[in-house]
Amino acid sequence: MFKESPIIRRVSRQIMVGNVPVGGGAPITVQSMTNTLTTDVDATVAQINALEAVGADIVRVSVPTMDAAEAFRAIKKQVNVPLVADIHFDYRIALKVAEYGADCLRINPGNIGRIDRVRSVVECARDNNIPIRIGVNGGSLEKDIQEKYTEPTAEALLESAMRHVDILDKLNFHEFKVSVKASDVFLAVESYKLLAKQIDNPLHLGITEAGGLRSGSVKSSVGLGILLAQGIGDTIRISLAADPIEEIKVGFDILKSLKLRSRGINLIACPSCSRQEFDVVATVNALEQRIEDIMTPMDVSIIGCIVNGPGEAMVSDLGLTGSSKKSGFYLDGIRQKERFDNNNLVDQLEQRIRAKAHAINEREDEKNKIDFKSVD
């Protein structure tokens, strides 16, 4: 089995979104977007903090009005995670949120208006060390591009993106990332593949308007999985008609499955069958809810019988292999004398997982202390 990801990532330049590096070999970041009214400061702050708690590296906030810009100022003072301000049309809003500490501006230079207005935004971003995200969407292409191609195509999305890229290049501004999102998986994948050959800026991946929790997660996993497996992508957003917290969870699950990032417990569980010696589905569902707060990377296998159980357990940090009345327990691939009562598996597993996480964290802390002393 692969211990490390075999994926060779596309070489890209690096930008900083607040204190978070994007591109240039940095870990692929996971982000989401608030769906509260930005003018409701308390609700928006609460949602941002909840997103950070489940692992969000970056959070985007829509700023459609000057009132929202004033709210953004108050929000920014109360959160720690970097914030991207999402702005369309009114360049004055971009100038205001830049003044208020936005960590990134999501704009399309082409819809800001006259070149002097675009130049004002770019110069403000440059003066405040704020990067820009160019966000092209298959559902909102420029009128002339729509007329030229008659429908969204990968070439149409590429042309739109390069039009905005050229504007920033002419203004000698290079601290930007680009997205070319579409709701169609094949269209999005082909658009990103074309764009990846044209520029070396970081790419923000997403299947836009992907759908509800289940269908949207599947579409996003397929589309982003294709691109990430080819080394394309520096930051991702899973666009779901669901609680934004689910976007972060799905994003990390995608990266974990490709071994591109490790965060939290990677549960390896069988779908269950008549061979199972305990209720695998109920055990996994209950355990998953119990250990959501654990961010220490670990592989935990929960297999209901001895057919595949030992093999999975031997390559996991912790493993459970179903057996009559009491199931076998593995630690670091080694079968333990201790056996778990099938009537109380969730409590026993949670206890051992937390103990293992604590031991790993202590070991890492000690290693970091030693490394720090060696630098001194």
Side-chain angles (χ1 to χ4, degrees):
M1 297 177 71
F2 288 104
K3 291 294 184 183
E4 302 292 336
S5 177
I7 295 171
I8 299 174
R9 291 178 60 193
R10 160 183 169 268
V11 176
S12 65
R13 62 186 301 150
Q14 187 171 101
I15 64 173
M16 296 296 296
V17 179
N19 60 356
V20 175
V22 176
I28 296 171
T29 54
V30 180
Q31 56 183 282
S32 182
M33 186 174 184
T34 56
N35 60 12
T36 54
L37 283 174
T38 303
T39 49
D40 187 338
V41 173
D42 290 342
T44 305
V45 167
Q47 190 170 72
I48 291 169
N49 288 336
L51 288 167
E52 183 184 18
V54 295
D57 300 297
I58 298 166
V59 175
R60 181 156 46 113
V61 178
S62 180
V63 190
T65 64
M66 279 297 181
D67 285 343
E70 293 303 320
F72 183 90
R73 182 184 196 179
I75 292 164
K76 179 63 179 165
K77 292 177 180 178
Q78 299 179 57
V79 300
N80 298 312
V81 67
L83 298 185
V84 178
D86 191 286
I87 299 151
H88 292 277
F89 308 119
D90 192 338
Y91 81 105
R92 295 168 299 177
I93 296 176
L95 298 178
K96 188 60 70 174
V97 294
E99 175 190 340
Y100 290 161
D103 297 293
C104 181
L105 302 176
R106 191 280 195 189
I107 64 168
N108 283 350
N111 77 20
I112 289 294
R114 301 193 310 259
I115 190 63
D116 60 315
R117 294 178 175 178
V118 177
R119 183 179 288 109
S120 295
V121 174
V122 170
E123 290 304 322
C124 182
R126 194 196 319 275
D127 291 344
N128 290 281
N129 294 315
I130 302 173
I132 287 173
R133 174 189 155 208
I134 295 171
V136 173
N137 192 304
S140 56
L141 292 170
E142 296 92 323
K143 186 176 180 181
D144 64 312
I145 291 181
Q146 291 182 40
E147 292 173 350
K148 177 179 178 180
Y149 291 94
T150 69
E151 65 178 8
T153 66
E155 290 75 18
L157 267 71
L158 176 67
E159 183 171 329
S160 177
M162 293 308 298
R163 177 179 294 181
H164 300 304
V165 168
D166 288 344
I167 292 171
L168 295 185
D169 281 345
K170 287 176 181 176
L171 293 172
N172 197 32
F173 187 87
H174 307 293
E175 301 303 301
F176 62 88
K177 54 183 175 174
V178 187
S179 65
V180 280
K181 297 185 179 183
S183 58
D184 180 273
V185 168
F186 293 105
L187 176 56
V189 167
E190 188 58 29
S191 300
Y192 277 110
K193 288 169 68 175
L194 291 176
L195 182 62
K197 296 176 182 177
Q198 294 289 319
I199 62 175
D200 67 351
N201 298 81
L203 297 183
H204 168 117
L205 300 190
I207 305 297
T208 193
E209 298 141 2
L213 178 56
R214 181 181 59 82
S215 60
S217 296
V218 172
K219 283 177 68 174
S220 296
S221 298
V222 171
L224 271 59
I226 292 170
L227 291 165
L228 291 166
Q230 296 180 35
I232 296 171
D234 302 285
T235 184
I236 65 173
R237 191 259 170 118
I238 312 301
S239 298
L240 301 177
D243 188 329
I245 285 176
E246 299 298 333
E247 298 185 351
I248 300 300
K249 293 179 182 178
V250 174
F252 271 105
D253 283 344
I254 292 172
L255 295 180
K256 281 197 290 188
S257 70
L258 294 170
K259 299 187 184 297
L260 287 168
R261 273 191 81 173
S262 296
R263 185 184 177 91
I265 308 300
N266 176 35
L267 279 176
I268 301 155
C270 65
S272 80
C273 69
S274 61
R275 293 193 308 266
Q276 67 179 356
E277 299 287 355
F278 60 87
D279 189 337
V280 174
V281 174
T283 299
V284 170
N285 286 339
L287 183 65
E288 198 166 32
Q289 291 183 8
R290 294 253 200 115
I291 61 176
E292 277 187 335
D293 63 303
I294 300 175
M295 297 302 165
T296 308
M298 274 192 288
D299 290 335
V300 177
S301 63
I302 300 174
I303 310 298
C305 74
I306 60 172
V307 175
N308 295 323
E312 292 290 356
M314 284 191 289
V315 292
S316 300
D317 295 292
L318 291 95
L320 186 71
T321 299
S323 188
S324 178
K325 296 185 179 179
K326 290 191 175 183
S327 294
F329 173 64
Y330 289 70
L331 184 62
D332 296 324
I334 300 172
R335 175 75 179 255
Q336 305 294 298
K337 291 181 180 180
E338 178 185 9
R339 300 181 73 200
F340 285 178
D341 187 330
N342 288 355
N343 294 317
N344 191 29
L345 290 177
V346 176
D347 288 344
Q348 296 167 94
L349 283 166
E350 181 187 6
Q351 182 181 27
R352 296 308 295 264
I353 289 169
R354 290 192 181 280
K356 178 67 173 176
H358 181 71
I360 291 173
N361 293 338
E362 281 197 329
R363 194 159 59 240
E364 284 298 311
D365 289 344
E366 189 61 31
K367 179 177 177 294
N368 291 336
K369 287 178 184 177
I370 293 171
D371 289 344
F372 182 75
K373 287 178 181 177
S374 66
V375 170
D376 287 348

